[in-house]
Amino acid sequence: MKRTLLVGGVNSPVRTFAAVSEPPLICSYARGSFLYDTQGNKYLDFIGGWGALIHGHSNPRIRRALKKVQTSGILYGLTHDGEEKLANKIKSFIPFIEKIRFLNSGTEAAMTAIRVARAATKREKILMFSGCYHGHADSFLTKMGSGGATLSLPLSEGIPHGVLNKTIVIRYNDTEGLRKAFHDNPDIAALIIEPVAGNMGLVPAKKDFLTEARKLCDKFGTILIFDEIMCGFRASYGSVAELYNIFPDIILLGKVIGGGAPVGAIAGKENLMSLLSPEGPVYQAGTFSGNPLTCNLGLAALIEIEKNRNINHLENLGFIMDSILSDTKRITFVRLGSMCCLFFLSEAPENREDVDRQNRDVFSNFHKKLRAKGILIPPSPYETWFLNTAMKERDIKNAALIIRNTAEEVLNT
Ligand SMILES: *Cc1c(COP(=O)(O)O)cnc(C)c1O
């Protein structure tokens, strides 16, 4: 079909595959761990709905939940018990949260979190890190100024200077830089971070760095926000906060907790969360927020994650990937839980600037060759790859061997 009406032929820019100079992949259907395009090609899918599909496509329990919603209603625009069920299930994995608000996307969650932080602190500045992504609200479409200057630059046109000037961007995993940012700006409302960054390949924060962030936030009265929209239920089977035993004031969730339906969530301590309307003065609302479709699918996805056999299976898949991809010289394979990424670097990167040192042509070539061999990795060197419970051990073993050979092949050409 000719694609003349959609802007750029897509509804989200990465889907053009322009970053790897390829035509877009137009999907026709997906089952289990495989995705099929309109030309009949079959791919082992490492994109996994950008992380949302931890059970792959068409998981039986999620299908049953979908069937239930078919007869009981997709949308009420009113409250229902499914919301509290999903909230309770999330709390069983992430016990430190006291209150939660569901929204429809990660973007909404991040946007709302800084509004709450600004209201709580009566301050305006926010601190974020180069290479982290927090959705497409104005405040976060910023990058680090040249030379590591803290004055941020816009990543998009149309962002008011007044908004841009309130965002400070510094290097990820740079403890000295973090101290300096607080020293120079004692009036920061919120520090927002992906504690395991999945939007610059895969770069986990160092534990010391997160500990220092927690300390500085306590000292300066700044709200600490963990954006776990991607790494939540992925880096571990709960939150990175619980995994590292470092607790933010606010945690953002999304992707996995919707079971494939649109979702976002902001959660945290009662005193902050109660600032949200209708309890408090910070306005936030949504026609589709907490809808039955999302809540039922999300609940089904989390119930599946509770199963030991699923966690063990994901770990096994991870070990297979590690064992085949870890000991190669000119590439570095990084994995945490069901997130992984291969870098054309001799050491694991610590920040976005390290990730940038990869050769873009090598990556494009790698992507193209893998696609031709039926392996679909994200069409950008800045995206994490995802494992899912529908993947079979033998498929992953085959894929890992092909990935390894292909990486060596592109490095040798
Ligand atoms: C995906 C993502 C978002 C944005 O979520 P959307 O649902 O796409 O708006 C925000 N933060 C992180 C870390 C993400 O990975």
Side-chain angles (χ1 to χ4, degrees), residues 372-387:
K373 292 172 188 171
I375 294 172
L376 184 66
I377 61 165
S380 152
Y382 299 105
E383 304 285 352
T384 306
W385 312 359
F386 297 98
L387 303 174

Side-chain angles (χ1 to χ4, degrees), residues 12 50 104-110 132-136 193-194 196-199 227-231 252-255 262-264 383 386:
S12 197
W50 305 101
N104 304 296
S105 68
T107 293
E108 280 182 61
C132 285
Y133 178 67
H134 306 295
H136 62 88
I193 185 167
E194 286 181 75
V196 170
N199 288 286
D227 180 346
E228 299 209 24
I229 291 164
M230 184 187 285
C231 61
L252 311 180
L253 297 168
K255 297 191 169 107
V263 74
E383 304 285 352
F386 297 98

Side-chain angles (χ1 to χ4, degrees), residues 322-343:
D322 290 349
S323 68
I324 295 171
L325 292 163
S326 283
D327 65 334
T328 35
K329 279 215 175 61
R330 288 175 296 170
I331 57 175
T332 300
F333 182 71
V334 180
R335 180 183 70 87
L336 201 55
S338 59
M339 303 169 81
C340 58
C341 194
L342 184 145
F343 295 97

Side-chain angles (χ1 to χ4, degrees), residues 104-397:
N104 304 296
S105 68
T107 293
E108 280 182 61
M111 203 175 84
T112 303
I114 56 164
R115 188 177 299 147
V116 168
R118 283 169 167 160
T121 58
K122 311 271 187 259
R123 298 173 181 172
E124 295 193 345
K125 289 181 191 166
I126 65 165
L127 178 61
M128 63 174 280
F129 298 90
S130 175
C132 285
Y133 178 67
H134 306 295
H136 62 88
D138 284 355
S139 295
F140 308 114
L141 287 185
T142 56
K143 62 178 176 182
M144 196 162 67
S146 56
T150 54
L151 212 58
S152 57
L153 300 170
L155 279 173
S156 164
E157 299 230 345
I159 298 176
H161 277 293
V163 173
L164 196 61
N165 291 341
K166 300 294 182 198
T167 302
I168 302 161
V169 186
I170 63 171
R171 204 180 291 269
Y172 195 76
N173 270 330
D174 173 7
T175 306
E176 263 321 299
L178 183 62
R179 290 198 191 105
K180 184 172 185 310
F182 273 95
H183 179 266
D184 295 347
N185 303 272
D187 58 340
I188 298 169
L191 182 164
I192 183 166
I193 185 167
E194 286 181 75
V196 170
N199 288 286
M200 47 171 144
L202 177 59
V203 183
K206 292 187 222 157
K207 206 170 170 189
D208 289 355
F209 178 68
L210 287 180
T211 304
E212 187 65 15
R214 179 65 276 179
K215 270 195 204 141
L216 287 164
C217 284
D218 287 339
K219 181 172 169 197
F220 287 90
T222 297
I223 306 295
L224 179 61
I225 304 168
F226 277 6
D227 180 346
E228 299 209 24
I229 291 164
M230 184 187 285
C231 61
F233 296 94
R234 280 282 184 184
S236 71
Y237 303 100
S239 65
V240 174
E242 305 276 353
L243 178 72
Y244 285 5
N245 211 29
I246 300 170
F247 297 94
D249 302 296
I250 292 176
I251 184 169
L252 311 180
L253 297 168
K255 297 191 169 107
V256 167
I257 64 160
V263 74
I266 159 172
K269 295 278 174 211
E270 165 107 48
N271 64 330
L272 282 174
M273 293 300 294
S274 63
L275 290 173
L276 277 173
S277 53
E279 285 186 34
V282 179
Y283 193 70
Q284 195 284 321
T287 302
F288 299 103
S289 297
N291 69 74
L293 175 70
T294 297
C295 290
N296 280 284
L297 269 50
L299 183 65
L302 296 189
I303 289 173
E304 284 285 289
I305 295 178
E306 279 175 333
K307 304 228 172 319
N308 279 334
R309 74 176 147 78
N310 281 328
I311 294 180
N312 293 342
H313 180 57
L314 281 173
E315 282 302 311
N316 277 341
L317 297 179
F319 290 144
I320 293 170
M321 294 287 280
D322 290 349
S323 68
I324 295 171
L325 292 163
S326 283
D327 65 334
T328 35
K329 279 215 175 61
R330 288 175 296 170
I331 57 175
T332 300
F333 182 71
V334 180
R335 180 183 70 87
L336 201 55
S338 59
M339 303 169 81
C340 58
C341 194
L342 184 145
F343 295 97
F344 289 98
L345 295 169
S346 52
E347 277 169 46
E350 292 189 353
N351 53 48
R352 164 74 193 230
E353 294 64 37
D354 288 347
V355 176
D356 280 341
R357 285 198 209 105
Q358 292 181 101
N359 183 320
R360 292 297 293 257
D361 294 337
V362 167
F363 182 85
S364 296
N365 206 356
F366 177 59
H367 188 277
K368 204 167 289 134
K369 283 184 190 290
L370 286 181
R371 182 176 176 178
K373 292 172 188 171
I375 294 172
L376 184 66
I377 61 165
S380 152
Y382 299 105
E383 304 285 352
T384 306
W385 312 359
F386 297 98
L387 303 174
N388 67 62
T389 58
M391 288 171 158
K392 301 268 187 291
E393 290 188 10
R394 63 162 194 281
D395 290 332
I396 283 299
K397 190 170 173 198

